[in-house]
């Protein structure tokens, strides 16, 4: 098996200096980036311009969420109102149906007809027969 010989050897001064320089450069770049983010002059121009499409997208999603919520609440209120209307109409139907059944009984019809001067017939109907004569 072969071992990694680079780890066993010490780095030369040139390689160490290059590594230190690259690390220092990255630290400086990171510090510069962080300063540019939190500085008021760069914050308003750079970050807003860079992230404007994302901010607009998030705002649009927020508006869609709010409008969807309002629509759902309006629909639920409408369903509740229609349910109450259906119950009320059902009660009206049942009360009117019961009243109609009461008014159409024979005794109620006889009472109302008596106020008009009409009376119920007590004898059975008579059958009238027509006799045709042959000529």
């Amino acid at each position: 098996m072969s071992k990694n010989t680079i780890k066993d050897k010490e780095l030369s001064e040139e390689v160490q200096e290059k590594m230190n320089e690259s690390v220092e450069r990255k630290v400086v770049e990171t510090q510069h980036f962080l300063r540019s983010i939190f500085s008021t002059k760069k914050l308003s121009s750079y970050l807003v311009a860079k992230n404007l499409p994302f901010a607009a997208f998030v705002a649009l999603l927020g508006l869609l969420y709010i409008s969807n919520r309002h629509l759902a609440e309006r629909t639920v209120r409408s369903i509740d109102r229609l349910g109450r209307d259906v119950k009320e109409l059902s009660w009206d139907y049942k009360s009117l149906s019961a009243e109609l059944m009461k008014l159409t009984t024979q005794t109620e019809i006889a009472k109302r007809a008596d106020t008009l001067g009409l009376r119920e017939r007590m004898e059975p109907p008579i059958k009238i027969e027509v006799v045709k004569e042959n000529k």
Side-chain angles (χ1 to χ4, degrees):
M1 281 196 184
S2 99
K3 256 177 128 182
N4 190 351
T5 56
I6 295 178
K7 286 186 178 181
D8 294 337
K9 296 181 184 178
E10 289 193 26
L11 297 174
S12 66
E13 288 183 17
E14 288 178 19
V15 173
Q16 283 183 356
E17 285 179 22
K18 284 182 183 179
M19 285 178 59
N20 285 339
E21 286 175 7
S22 72
V23 167
E24 287 177 10
R25 191 175 348 107
K26 288 184 180 184
V27 167
V28 169
E29 287 175 0
T30 305
Q31 287 176 349
H32 178 68
F33 176 73
L34 291 175
R35 284 185 188 134
S36 70
I37 287 177
F38 294 114
S39 71
T40 57
K41 183 170 64 170
K42 298 258 180 169
L43 177 68
S44 61
S45 62
Y46 173 71
L47 283 180
V48 172
K50 182 179 177 187
N51 294 320
L52 189 61
F54 179 70
F57 177 70
V58 169
L60 178 68
L61 285 180
L63 288 174
L64 287 174
Y65 178 76
I66 291 169
S67 66
N68 189 29
R69 177 69 184 216
H70 285 299
L71 178 66
E73 287 178 1
R74 189 179 323 131
T75 304
V76 167
R77 281 194 300 267
S78 174
I79 289 171
D80 288 342
R81 185 179 61 247
L82 290 174
R84 286 192 305 267
D85 291 345
V86 165
K87 282 183 182 179
E88 186 177 333
L89 290 173
S90 173
W91 294 332
D92 287 344
Y93 167 75
K94 289 175 184 175
S95 65
L96 289 174
S97 176
E99 187 178 338
L100 180 64
M101 291 298 284
K102 182 182 177 232
L103 290 176
T104 56
T105 59
Q106 185 176 1
T107 56
E108 286 295 320
I109 292 174
K111 284 180 190 176
R112 289 191 318 175
D114 194 32
T115 61
L116 297 174
L118 301 174
R119 289 187 319 235
E120 186 177 357
R121 222 181 140 136
M122 296 301 184
E123 43 200 59
I126 301 170
K127 183 176 182 184
I128 300 174
E129 293 181 13
V130 178
V131 180
K132 290 186 178 179
E133 293 181 14
N134 290 335
K135 290 188 182 182

